[in-house]
Amino acid sequence: MAEKRKRRHSKEQLLEDKEQAAGISNPTLDEDTETYYQAFSQSQTEGESSVAEMIEENERAQVLKGELKSRHRRRRRELSKLTTPKDDVTGELKTVKLDSRKKLEETEQEADELAKALEDARVAADTSLQATGAADVESALPSPTRDKEVEQEEKETVPLSPPHSPAPPKTPEPAEAVAEDTAPPPILERTTSKDEGEITDRRRSTMRERMKSRLAKAKEEAETEIEKQERDERKRTLKGKKEITFAEMDDLEIAKLEERTERMRKRRMERTKQQEAMSYMPTLEQSYDFFTREWEEEPEEAEVPKKGDEEEEEEEKEEKPEAEEQETEEERAAKEKSKGEEAALLVDDQEYTEQSYGPVAIRKAYMDDAAVTYSAEQRMLFHPSSVRASPAEKVEGESEPRFLEDEGFYVGVKPFVADKNRSRMEDRILKESQTVKEAANWFGEDGQLIVLPDPLREAPTRPTLVDDTDMHAIDTVFYKAIMREFDSRYIDGAVDGGGFYQLDVDVNSISFSHHHLFSREHVLAHKLTLLQSEHVSRAKRNMDGFLTEKLSALKNSALLLHDYIASHKGEMSVVDRDNYERRLRDYKSEISQTRFLRDKEEQTNRTLLKSIIHTWRELKTLREQQNFVNTPVKLQIRKEDTNKEEDLAQWKLEMEEETFEEKEKFEEEFMRKEAVYKDQLEKYNKQAIEKEEAQKRISDRNRQKKRRGSKSSKGSKASKNSQERQRAEAEDDIEDESFEEENAKDQAIIDAEPLPKPEPPEALDERALKDQIKAKFMAQKRRPGEPKLFPELSNSATVSPSSQCTRAEQQRREDVSKAKLYVKILFNGKEVSRTGPRPLSQDFNVNFGEIYNLKIVEWPESIKYEIYETAGFGSGRLLAELYAPIPESSVTSQSVALENVEFSSYEKIQFTHDGVGSGVAFKFEGHVPDLVTLMTSGTLNSSVAWAVGDDGLPLVPTEKFGAGYKAATQMKRLDPFAAIGASGVSNLEKLLEWFKQSRLDPNDPNNKDIVYMLSGGDQTLLAPREYFRLEPLQQEFDLATVEEIEKNLRYKIITLRDQENPIFKGYQMVPCLEREIPKDALKEYEKKQREETQMPHVKGDLEHHRAQVNLYLQKIKERVTAQYRFASHQKTLQDVVNEDTVPNITMIATSLLRLSEPRRPLRPVRKERKKVTAQALDGKEVKILINIIRASYIPVRKAVRSEVIEKGKSSKGVATASNRHHSDYLIPSSSAARDVDGTPIGETYDDLVCPFVEVMFQRSRVRTRQGEGPNPSFNEELELVLKVPNDDYSPSSLQAIEDIIFINLFDEVTVDVLEDNRERETNIHQRIEKKWLGSINIPFSTVYFNNKIDGTFRINTPPFLLGYTYDMLQAQPGASEVETTIGRGSSYLSMFVTIEPSLSLPEPFKEKLATTEEEELIERADAWQAELEKQFPKRTYKTTVMDTMGKNVFVTRYFRSIKPPPEVEACTDPQKAMETAARYVSMIPFVADTALFPGQCDIWSTCNQFMKMLCGDEEEHAVLLTNYFLAMGKTAYLMLGNAIPEGQTAYVLTCDADKYHLWNARTGESYSVHDNYCPIQSIGCLINAENIWANIQEYEKPSQMDFNLTNTSCWLTFYNKAYLNKGLASVQPAELFYHRKDKKFDSMVLELQERIEQMLKNKIMEWRSRYITRWNRHCTQIMRKLLPLLEEIHGKQIEQSHLRDLEESFKSYKVSGFPLNLPFTDMTSITEAVFSTGVHAKETSDVEFALAVYVHGYTNNVMSVWVYVASLIRLR
Amino acid sequence: MANPSVFLLMVSGQIESAEFPEFDDIYCKYCFSYGLDWAITSGLDESITQITKKSRDEYQRFVWNFPIDATFKSTSPSGWPQLVIYAYGLDAFGTDVVRGYGVCHIPITPGRHCLRLPMFVPESSSLLQKLTAWFLGRRPEYVNPRVVAQGEGREVTRVRTQGFLTVSFNIIMKDMKKLGYDILPSDVQNPTIPAGVAGTETAKAS
């Protein structure tokens, strides 16, 4: 094996290039390296052992070399013919192999051929031999297939290829390879062996060895070859695609491997060289030869003994092929046998390899026995045949397959499946079906597999949506809108419909029957013409002649009939006679009728003739008169003479006849009348007789009755038969009744109206008749002898030329010649064409003779002519409009005749010339006296017809037409409602009718319902529905009832949240499941609901009132909230989009100005900071920054020795260090503490005061360091953290913070507590105490809304501070009134407060509110305000404010003098009264609007609302105060402006004798406008009931301003001369209701007072829980007395005398304390205020406290609360 | 019940790319806008991407591939989170100018979703304003970008389209089904019937 490998290796070396080129060498890495390694190691070992041998052989080889070479060359030449690329071979092999596997016999055959071929190829004996050898070795390999392969290889070695391999003959690679280089020596050896035959044993052995090695090599080659093939095959068959990459990879590997082998080879060569060098030194050539040829062949020795038997076998096998060649039959058996042998061999081999190579067990890759596998596979696997099965097999039961497609069924295209695969499938199914018997299910009737038609479509059903490519396929394509008008003016439904329709309008001529330019002659001539034409037409008709003839004929026949009747009278039956007589009567009436007609005709003719003659005469006279002739009319009368006698006879005859007829007629009439008369007379007589008889009968009956009455009474007695009697009685009764009846009848006869007595008819008056007829004849008929006249009209008269005419006539003629006419043709009201202007001829005719073709698209509705007349210029005037009839579709331009259409104009035209004008009365100058008025009139000769197309067809729309009709039908066709109305739809009959008319297409699916319905299918569809359903399916989706849903807790919460209910607004994570919702979720809400609906039960009037107020507030708040919520959801563009405003000139100007401004680095301006939204704040702290700059005018300690006090002198001792603590003693001072002597203060500086500022906010405190003196400078920045509930920094929650920033000023006092003075030198024992001096309270909201507060503030100091006084030294002597205020106890603090980071503000309430004000007023107000704000953006201007109803109210309405409370009225001193009023107002608690209402909205409540609520912000206070002042007769204004610390605020300005004062209504303080420390920073406007004054001055600080309101350059008024105050009614009540103060009230106040006191005491004890708190009752008593006093003077500086008591009593105490005054709101605010002063903070037990509370109740529950807290420390 | 039962919505994804013709150097900010019943439990609510330049190929895309990762918990699908993206870019003067606002709901079904959001900007209210906005480099922009996720106030704005932005999401949900929300087709086939309703159903049936 090793040997083989080595050989192979060498071969590979040699083959390198070729293989590389072919790219097929594909050994796996492991295998190869292994091989190489083995080969290498072997070469080493063997090389050593066989050196001697090698030398020997070398010698021999040398001898044979030359021979060999020559042979080799020869063979090569032969082979070169056959050489082809190796892969061809392998490819070929593969196919062959496949075939051979299946068709063993074939292979055998081929083998035969091969054998033959081999024999043929013996020429190249060596190769073939070798090949066979190889083949033999191959056959030893386990796989039988390989065996075959090798056989095929052999085949291919044959130069002449067998038939099944048509490719050009190839030499197998192994053979070739051997042939190339390594082959020669063995060949040589073989030949020698063959030739010589006898060789020595050893030699033979070597020979054998060589043979063996050669064989082995061939075998190896074959093996590798096969391996390669197999691998290739596998690759190709399994993964066709991957082959390439594999190959590539392999190539790489190969390259690598080859490189390596190359290296190895070199190394080996070197080694062998070394070895050789050790043994002996061959020549260069020798060594070369040796290395190149010989060294491969010697390593056999080790193997020889073991391989002995093998060899033999191989030898045997060597011969075997030959045997096979001859005996193909035996081959199989041999193979079978060989299999077993091979297996054994293989095992041997393995054993051998393992044994021989020591510890390193290098195994060949384990392989299953392929043969076993194969046979097992053969058993298990089923290979269906790809031969097509006959259809007969597949169709079960049926004899013949059916082809549906041929029968016309649609059979889809079946998906393509390769035939081979299909037949395999079929085969498989068939084979399986032999066991399962279900083949029929798989095959269709046509014997094919049942296959669904190919579901794939060629074209994609939707366009591929590629992201990036532009998609033209689904682009929107623009189509022009198609006009489809249901009014169907268009014939084809649209403008550009297909049809071509044309109307031809022929305008031929116009002739005027009257024209305004007619002269009189023309009028007459025209009249004459008319009459003549009438006459002519009558003559033509000859009506009278016809009637005359008819008359004579009638007469004749009547006569004949009469005669006939007379002659045959006897013979005729009655009926016939009647008949004849009736005929005769008919004749007669006919005759009279005809005669009447004839008479009429004759009369007309005669009058016509007369008027002709008359007119002509007139004309003639006119012509004579005017001396010229205007018209060519000429009448000639032809006379025809007649015979007078004849005429007369005729006349008479006619008269006779007529008379006779008349008479006859009359007689008939008379007879008829006579008969009637007779009849009536008879009736009359008869009636008279009847009456008489009736009378008689009645009297008879009466008599009879009486008689019968007596008879019956008699009979009753005498009668025997009672029955009979009874009957008789009954009869009598009946008789009686009948009598009665008859009586009645007779009575009726008597009573009947008596008939009138008839008159006999009159007899004929013959004479009168004759006269009548004669008169008629005279009037109507030509008299006898009168000539017959025939007028003949001709135009033969010559018209006189213009020159002969009068001037007027000349003008007229000129006008006529100037006049032109044209006709416009309007189609459907639109002008479509017009004729050219044509001149009017002198005889007033215009000829056009034009035909206009109108191509129409609309249905013709009207064709109108408009006749215009122009005088040569301009468009002229409309003479007349006339309509032409729309032609019938049968009327075409070929068949139409011109028609005359008459027209006339109603225009009045009058001329100065001879023209008669139109519509104007004129007179003929001749003998015609009467006036004539004629209108311009004439006829238009024209025609309208449908045009005829080239094809002779009329261009008429095919459908019926006619304007109105058409439009209606068109509409009706499309819309049943239009056709029959909505009600008609429900009427089936109407609908049917409409359906028939509209000719709907019954096949149109749109009409399906109607057709179905009308065809009688379902009449119910037509019946109107009796119900109405909005959402018929709604119920199906109701998962729960409405109640259930509303009961749901979760639903409730979500609803409330959505409604932005304050409790639930922003409620996060509403639990998903109802059971997870906390049970008490709604508790708070429900509680609140309860509270709102019912008053909470509280004790005490005050609380009750408070509760009411709260309720009321709540209501307002709700309303405002609702409004605000609504408004906040109405966004404007500014709310949503940030957009820069367009810069205008002023903006640019200011920015330019800013550039030129001088830079002032020493005056830095605070930069506006960026606002931070709540979201951005997450996790950050918000701080309040307070920068305390300085304080001024701080009260100083009173430091007076007790001795001094005793002396009562007003002197101030020099405070030294030793008595420092004594300075704190409470020392009563009767006078001001000012040192009159002016002791230098410098020395006592430290002792005066040591103030510091402490800021408390939300119970956290920070303080500055201690300052020095009354005017300390701190310059310290204090920080306080803002604590917001729930960390919600949204504006809505921030604005609700009601915390107050307390800025307290304290004096830091060091108290020496050292008991023993002896220790003084060594010990220091001091206590630091702080004494409250004053405070400033700033609500957080003020800071929040103003963002920063900057300035100098007045510190609220108590009215008196025990132990402190003001250092009067600072007040400049001789200072103005303003300065003196300082002495009154005002300290000032300069500071700057802001929030860091700057927080965003809530959105201002910008909604334009509803208003009840007049539109005009609001408009002006807006404009006025906008104008001012533009000018002074920083000033506050207000015109309208929002009231509690959420409506805009004009601000002046808030002012009205209101009677102040009784307390004020009680004051006599006006100044005092004002102060009291201010005091009263200031005691009403203050609550910022922002805390009450959401957003930045400012609500102004009216005074009564304010009083009711008892809380409000600056505006309410100020308004109330203003109103009080107004009531007190002061001039007062509400001032809007900015103040510190409030920001935007409202003050009251009063004017008293040119002294202006500003009142802070909130605190009750007043300032002079000249006060520098006035908190007002800017004044915006002043308002009162009369007007609004806007500040337009340069300055806005009150001290700099001019308060002369009449000065228009300083103050701009809202109402002015142009816009007067209309006196708007005030919204304020006329007066406020003040509760009377009674005992109950007093007790209530007292109760409150006690409660407060109690509470405060408790609190203080609570605060000082570490120490004992003692209460000094005595002090409290004194203080209680003091407090009402303070209230009385409104908290001003108290007179010292009042304090004396206190001072006296507590000489032995160091007392520090102060009174606090605040309006009563609730307990907590009082506690807070006390706490902030820190009185309790005396960290020692030996302190006593005094607490006095005084509540002063004003009217309407306004409370002023005074709290006096003091601490007393006993002096030692 | 200390913790109400919630369902979780986990969103991971990325702002992939965008097309803004005519612009360059664009970066995005994004934020989520969600209702009151939602809370973000992990991940970033807001973030800002890197600046990207447009690709030099024919597509001219802006590619960020900026990851989004957030987990929400919620008790109610109402107020389902929306992703609001607003892109900024430098204009010719180097100022940051808004280039587009876009919004989309987080997909409501689990799985991978790729959405293409149209991006738009509010228009200037007049031509003059437009001109000045251009000059000053301060184009109109929304006061609060979350406006685009709401209906309120949108009626007053007019917008102009600017381009498109592609976002991909991978959505995972938890406990939706448990709380009775059927969102997957498979869920819908076997709908969750609340206990009460089921009771009534059976009651009706019987």
Side-chain angles (χ1 to χ4, degrees), chain A residues 1246-1501:
Chain A
D1246 274 353
D1247 303 310
L1248 285 174
V1249 70
C1250 297
F1252 69 92
V1253 175
E1254 188 187 76
V1255 182
M1256 189 180 94
F1257 179 68
Q1258 291 172 336
R1259 289 283 171 112
S1260 59
R1261 302 157 185 267
V1262 281
R1263 55 159 288 181
T1264 63
R1265 59 179 168 72
Q1266 177 192 334
E1268 286 178 336
N1271 296 310
S1273 173
F1274 299 103
N1275 268 330
E1276 265 190 75
E1277 192 172 271
L1278 307 175
E1279 278 186 11
L1280 280 161
V1281 177
L1282 173 70
K1283 278 175 278 181
V1284 182
N1286 308 329
D1287 275 346
D1288 180 7
Y1289 289 94
S1290 68
S1292 54
S1293 79
L1294 282 173
Q1295 70 173 355
I1297 295 176
E1298 286 179 65
D1299 291 309
I1300 295 169
I1301 303 168
F1302 295 97
I1303 298 161
N1304 291 313
L1305 185 71
F1306 291 100
D1307 179 20
E1308 195 172 67
V1309 182
T1310 321
V1311 182
D1312 196 348
V1313 288
L1314 201 66
E1315 302 288 322
D1316 194 349
N1317 267 353
R1318 286 168 299 180
E1319 290 171 17
R1320 197 165 293 282
E1321 282 178 2
T1322 50
N1323 287 6
I1324 296 172
H1325 192 183
Q1326 287 181 334
R1327 187 174 64 237
I1328 294 168
E1329 286 179 0
K1330 55 180 186 180
K1331 310 231 164 172
W1332 188 78
L1333 297 178
S1335 72
I1336 302 170
N1337 300 345
I1338 302 170
F1340 172 76
S1341 59
T1342 310
V1343 182
Y1344 176 54
F1345 282 103
N1346 294 323
N1347 198 17
K1348 59 164 191 186
I1349 290 172
D1350 188 8
T1352 303
F1353 302 90
R1354 206 179 72 90
I1355 298 168
N1356 298 318
T1357 46
F1360 61 89
L1361 270 169
L1362 292 175
Y1364 288 88
T1365 183
Y1366 285 95
D1367 187 357
M1368 282 309 189
L1369 199 70
Q1370 292 181 26
Q1372 292 298 313
S1376 66
E1377 165 216 13
V1378 181
E1379 300 297 326
T1380 55
T1381 56
I1382 292 159
R1384 292 210 318 252
S1386 307
S1387 305
Y1388 297 91
L1389 186 68
S1390 300
M1391 61 174 181
F1392 174 83
V1393 183
T1394 192
I1395 302 171
E1396 174 66 36
S1398 179
L1399 295 169
S1400 61
L1401 292 174
E1403 279 164 30
F1405 192 76
K1406 280 184 299 195
E1407 175 62 8
K1408 195 159 167 61
L1409 297 158
T1411 181
T1412 47
E1413 304 289 350
E1414 277 174 46
E1415 191 66 25
E1416 190 197 0
L1417 182 75
I1418 293 290
E1419 261 174 40
R1420 177 168 158 85
D1422 287 347
W1424 189 76
Q1425 193 172 344
E1427 175 68 23
L1428 286 164
E1429 272 166 2
K1430 207 168 142 193
Q1431 221 172 337
F1432 304 102
K1434 283 187 177 168
R1435 295 183 191 171
T1436 316
Y1437 301 107
K1438 266 200 177 121
T1439 52
T1440 56
V1441 290
M1442 183 178 170
D1443 70 357
T1444 47
M1445 301 298 289
K1447 282 188 174 159
N1448 254 346
V1449 175
F1450 196 68
V1451 75
T1452 60
R1453 285 183 190 268
Y1454 274 89
F1455 300 95
R1456 182 176 196 172
S1457 60
I1458 292 175
K1459 195 163 71 79
E1463 287 93 342
V1464 181
E1465 295 206 304
C1467 296
T1468 43
D1469 178 23
Q1471 183 62 34
K1472 174 89 178 160
M1474 277 171 87
E1475 278 169 14
T1476 315
R1479 173 91 189 143
Y1480 179 78
V1481 173
S1482 69
M1483 278 305 126
I1484 299 173
F1486 170 87
V1487 179
D1489 271 352
T1490 49
L1492 280 181
F1493 305 115
Q1496 268 193 351
C1497 64
D1498 192 11
I1499 293 169
W1500 288 33
S1501 38

Side-chain angles (χ1 to χ4, degrees), chain A residues 1069-1339:
Chain A
M1069 307 287 275
V1070 174
C1072 185
L1073 303 170
E1074 201 182 346
R1075 62 183 146 83
E1076 288 175 347
I1077 298 171
K1079 293 281 173 289
D1080 54 349
L1082 280 173
K1083 209 173 250 173
E1084 198 189 342
Y1085 170 72
E1086 277 160 4
K1087 198 178 118 202
K1088 216 174 153 194
Q1089 288 286 99
R1090 268 202 307 279
E1091 272 173 19
E1092 277 167 28
T1093 47
Q1094 63 197 59
M1095 279 290 293
H1097 183 75
V1098 281
K1099 56 178 199 296
D1101 263 5
L1102 214 59
E1103 270 80 1
H1104 185 76
H1105 177 254
R1106 288 280 154 211
Q1108 268 182 325
V1109 166
N1110 280 338
L1111 206 67
Y1112 180 71
L1113 260 179
Q1114 190 61 40
K1115 272 180 188 159
I1116 293 178
K1117 192 170 175 176
E1118 252 171 44
R1119 189 161 54 217
V1120 174
T1121 310
Q1123 200 159 12
Y1124 177 74
R1125 190 184 149 218
F1126 175 76
S1128 69
H1129 288 281
Q1130 306 293 311
K1131 302 268 167 100
T1132 62
L1133 184 66
Q1134 281 72 36
D1135 296 336
V1136 179
V1137 177
N1138 254 341
E1139 195 176 19
D1140 270 18
T1141 48
V1142 179
N1144 53 23
I1145 299 284
T1146 51
M1147 274 172 72
I1148 292 164
T1150 47
S1151 59
L1152 283 174
L1153 272 174
R1154 208 170 291 148
L1155 287 176
S1156 63
E1157 258 178 10
R1159 296 203 170 185
R1160 300 179 65 178
L1162 291 181
R1163 194 193 166 211
V1165 181
R1166 281 185 203 276
K1167 271 185 194 167
E1168 197 64 35
R1169 285 170 307 163
K1170 225 181 157 185
K1171 296 261 190 275
V1172 181
T1173 55
Q1175 289 95 337
L1177 270 176
D1178 251 3
K1180 277 187 227 162
E1181 278 186 336
V1182 176
K1183 294 170 196 159
I1184 299 171
L1185 297 185
I1186 301 149
N1187 195 350
I1188 309 287
I1189 299 156
R1190 74 181 78 81
S1192 44
Y1193 306 121
I1194 292 170
V1196 293
R1197 298 171 194 155
K1198 280 182 192 169
V1200 184
R1201 283 172 183 278
S1202 42
E1203 311 93 56
V1204 183
I1205 303 156
E1206 277 156 18
K1207 280 173 197 166
K1209 276 185 185 173
S1210 60
S1211 70
K1212 186 172 172 278
V1214 179
T1216 57
S1218 60
N1219 67 0
R1220 191 167 159 190
H1221 59 281
H1222 295 293
S1223 65
D1224 287 328
Y1225 297 167
L1226 176 71
I1227 294 159
S1229 58
S1230 54
S1231 63
R1234 178 164 142 45
D1235 192 343
V1236 200
D1237 303 318
T1239 316
I1241 288 172
E1243 284 180 46
T1244 61
Y1245 192 80
D1246 274 353
D1247 303 310
L1248 285 174
V1249 70
C1250 297
F1252 69 92
V1253 175
E1254 188 187 76
V1255 182
M1256 189 180 94
F1257 179 68
Q1258 291 172 336
R1259 289 283 171 112
S1260 59
R1261 302 157 185 267
V1262 281
R1263 55 159 288 181
T1264 63
R1265 59 179 168 72
Q1266 177 192 334
E1268 286 178 336
N1271 296 310
S1273 173
F1274 299 103
N1275 268 330
E1276 265 190 75
E1277 192 172 271
L1278 307 175
E1279 278 186 11
L1280 280 161
V1281 177
L1282 173 70
K1283 278 175 278 181
V1284 182
N1286 308 329
D1287 275 346
D1288 180 7
Y1289 289 94
S1290 68
S1292 54
S1293 79
L1294 282 173
Q1295 70 173 355
I1297 295 176
E1298 286 179 65
D1299 291 309
I1300 295 169
I1301 303 168
F1302 295 97
I1303 298 161
N1304 291 313
L1305 185 71
F1306 291 100
D1307 179 20
E1308 195 172 67
V1309 182
T1310 321
V1311 182
D1312 196 348
V1313 288
L1314 201 66
E1315 302 288 322
D1316 194 349
N1317 267 353
R1318 286 168 299 180
E1319 290 171 17
R1320 197 165 293 282
E1321 282 178 2
T1322 50
N1323 287 6
I1324 296 172
H1325 192 183
Q1326 287 181 334
R1327 187 174 64 237
I1328 294 168
E1329 286 179 0
K1330 55 180 186 180
K1331 310 231 164 172
W1332 188 78
L1333 297 178
S1335 72
I1336 302 170
N1337 300 345
I1338 302 170

Side-chain angles (χ1 to χ4, degrees), chain A residues 521 619-629 631 633:
Chain A
E521 192 186 332
L619 190 65
K620 273 203 287 191
T621 46
L622 188 66
R623 280 178 180 166
E624 276 162 28
Q625 270 175 5
Q626 63 193 18
N627 284 329
F628 54 82
V629 179
T631 48
V633 180

Side-chain angles (χ1 to χ4, degrees), chain A residues 177 211 302 415 669 698 776 880 1226 1358 1366 1698:
Chain A
M211 272 298 273
E669 185 75 1
I698 292 167
K776 197 179 83 182
L1226 176 71
Y1366 285 95
H1698 294 293

